[in-house]
Amino acid sequence: MPLPILPDAEAQCIALADLIRPHLQPTTMLIGIHSGGAWVARRLAELLQPATPIGQLDISFYRDDFSKRGLHPQVKPTRIPLDVDGRSLILVDDVLYTGRTTRAAINELFDYGRPASISLAVLADRGGRELPIYAEFCTWQVALGEREELVLEPGPDGKLQWRCEDHA
Ligand SMILES: O=c1cc[nH]c(=O)[nH]1
């Protein structure tokens, strides 16, 4: 499969903020999934100026393949700055693929309390779902082969950018 033309990730963050803005309530908390989702959540917070601080999740311990993969050397602390009970949450990730990362994030969030709702915002939906998970806010739908991986990272200028790796 030919590699996709990669969009401007910073422009996508602006488009994602525009999609989220009408749905943002004063108590809504954005929570980024480490690491790409946490970067995107920070950009969204700059753009949306939400009334609440943003959170960050490291879902390493909650993955269903944790026993196979072991602990990633760069586990980051989970920070949920406000009570999640009864609150609307927007989970933020860079790429939605099988849905297993999202499931792990939801499981982790429910260990903190019972949110009123959780929706999902992603820059890219690459298809390939293995679970009934859907991104309400999404800026890019792209079909990729199993061996391809989308990688979001900050460039030398600190701006977010995409790379696509072919693990053939
Ligand atoms: O391509 C992919 C799939 C899952 N997660 C990523 O960051 N990239």
Side-chain angles (χ1 to χ4, degrees):
M1 197 178 281
L3 291 180
I5 295 168
L6 300 173
D8 176 340
E10 290 290 334
Q12 283 185 294
C13 289
I14 293 170
L16 194 58
D18 289 343
L19 290 176
I20 293 172
R21 191 171 289 106
H23 302 268
L24 205 61
Q25 297 156 11
T27 56
T28 305
M29 181 162 51
L30 297 174
I31 300 182
I33 302 175
H34 174 70
S35 54
W39 292 327
V40 176
R42 260 178 249 143
R43 289 290 294 118
L44 291 175
E46 287 165 14
L47 294 159
L48 292 166
Q49 301 282 312
T52 57
I54 59 172
Q56 173 178 305
L57 278 183
D58 190 312
I59 51 99
S60 304
F61 293 111
Y62 287 79
R63 290 191 62 99
D64 55 13
D65 56 358
F66 175 68
S67 56
K68 266 195 273 169
R69 289 163 66 114
L71 201 53
H72 192 276
Q74 288 175 343
V75 173
K76 286 275 189 299
T78 285
R79 276 198 315 267
I80 308 292
L82 298 172
D83 195 355
V84 304
D85 261 327
R87 191 181 292 280
S88 294
L89 307 177
I90 300 181
L91 259 182
V92 182
D93 208 353
D94 49 355
V95 181
L96 175 58
Y97 185 24
T98 61
R100 288 173 191 270
T101 298
T102 311
R103 184 205 66 92
I106 293 169
N107 279 4
E108 182 166 1
L109 284 173
F110 270 83
D111 279 354
Y112 284 81
R114 188 173 182 279
S117 65
I118 304 177
S119 45
L120 178 64
V122 298
L123 289 189
D125 175 354
R126 57 167 291 178
R129 216 77 78 243
E130 294 170 1
L131 296 171
I133 283 178
Y134 157 78
E136 185 174 350
F137 309 108
C138 174
T139 56
W140 182 31
Q141 297 209 309
V142 57
L144 292 178
E146 266 178 33
R147 293 190 313 232
E148 287 154 10
E149 185 186 6
L150 272 179
V151 181
L152 185 75
E153 60 194 358
D157 56 0
K159 302 240 187 277
L160 294 177
Q161 60 186 31
W162 289 111
R163 194 157 48 78
C164 189
E165 287 183 0
D166 191 343
H167 297 288

